[in-house]
Amino acid sequence: MTTPHRVCFQLQVRPDLLDEYLEWHSPVWPEMLAEIATAGRRNYSLFLGEGGTLIGYYETDDDEAAQAYLAQSEIATRWEAEMSRFFVGLDGRPDQAATPLNEVFNLAEQLSATASDDESE
């Protein structure tokens, strides 16, 4: 069984464009949703914090392949071109230039490790 790769990233939405950004995501183009799924990204969520801090999370079996698929997708290219104006200090496509965050804790992994330790005793 393949353990999914968890990806978390941060972007900063321009405060003056927050309402419009939310409108673009309510709902996202159906063809863009399909491209994300076809790329192999799942459990994809975006969380918006105070002042426009945006945290994204998804899981994938192969993030490099997912990024490569979306990079060549005409639909994703159009979507990312629309999205690029919403972000502060971003150089490149939002789906590829977002700041990745390092995972420091995962409950399931630690519970699994604890269970394995208990079984070996």
Side-chain angles (χ1 to χ4, degrees), residues 9 36 41-46 56-59 70 95:
F9 60 89
I36 292 168
R41 291 180 177 176
R42 58 192 177 277
N43 295 330
Y44 199 142
S45 295
L46 296 174
Y57 172 86
Y58 61 87
E59 296 171 355
L70 292 169
D95 66 335

Side-chain angles (χ1 to χ4, degrees), residues 2-101:
T2 303
T3 302
H5 180 69
R6 292 180 297 274
V7 178
C8 188
F9 60 89
Q10 180 175 341
L11 291 163
Q12 184 64 42
V13 179
R14 290 180 42 191
D16 57 317
L17 296 177
L18 278 173
D19 290 340
E20 187 179 352
Y21 179 80
L22 292 173
E23 287 173 18
W24 272 90
H25 287 80
S26 209
V28 168
W29 301 340
E31 60 270 26
M32 184 60 196
L33 298 174
E35 285 293 80
I36 292 168
T38 301
R41 291 180 177 176
R42 58 192 177 277
N43 295 330
Y44 199 142
S45 295
L46 296 174
F47 302 88
L48 186 61
E50 234 8 79
T53 298
L54 186 76
I55 303 295
Y57 172 86
Y58 61 87
E59 296 171 355
T60 183
D61 294 328
D62 185 343
D63 197 37
E64 286 183 24
Q67 285 188 22
Y69 178 87
L70 292 169
Q72 62 80 35
S73 163
E74 290 180 28
I75 295 164
T77 298
R78 281 193 349 254
W79 176 264
E80 295 303 329
E82 293 286 351
M83 292 300 102
S84 64
R85 67 187 178 88
F86 289 102
F87 301 104
V88 175
L90 189 66
D91 185 25
R93 286 174 54 147
D95 66 335
Q96 299 188 10
T99 302
L101 301 175

